[in-house]
Amino acid sequence: MPKPTTVRDNRAEAEFELDVDGHRAVAAYQLEGRTIVFTHTLVPPEIEGRGVGSKLIRGALDAARDRGLTVVPQCPFVRDYIARHPEYRDLLA
């Protein structure tokens, strides 16, 4: 099975993206000053169940940390990910 590529921040579309096997998973966001609001996450059915969503959100949260942003997880997937990974709770707005 091919490995997922790197998570990219497509700022023009306000989405973090991860391409896997010809499919694109996205985590949409809105930037509000120094806060990033994650609005929804989409992982195509063809690549579900392979940890793609977790890799995507981990990359997005790491990017937010690198940029000094606080996080508002409106998206249930992002909210659940942070709940399961306490190392990201310090990012919460």
Side-chain angles (χ1 to χ4, degrees):
M1 167 177 23
K3 293 278 186 201
T5 58
T6 304
V7 174
R8 294 178 315 283
D9 183 2
N10 181 343
R11 293 184 187 189
E13 297 293 326
E15 294 176 339
F16 284 92
E17 303 172 338
L18 180 59
D19 292 321
V20 179
D21 296 343
H23 301 280
R24 178 169 292 160
V26 299
Y29 66 84
Q30 297 171 345
L31 203 52
E32 299 176 359
R34 301 298 303 153
T35 300
I36 188 167
V37 180
F38 286 98
T39 57
H40 69 273
T41 302
L42 174 65
V43 177
E46 296 86 354
I47 56 174
E48 283 181 348
R50 295 169 44 188
V52 174
S54 291
K55 180 178 172 80
L56 173 65
I57 298 308
R58 183 172 49 252
L61 293 173
D62 288 344
R65 176 172 278 135
D66 291 347
R67 291 170 58 191
L69 301 174
T70 57
V71 171
V72 174
Q74 283 183 351
C75 169
F77 188 88
V78 177
R79 187 170 43 249
D80 292 347
Y81 185 89
I82 293 172
R84 289 189 317 273
H85 296 88
E87 65 271 24
Y88 290 106
R89 290 186 191 149
D90 64 306
L91 295 175
L92 295 173

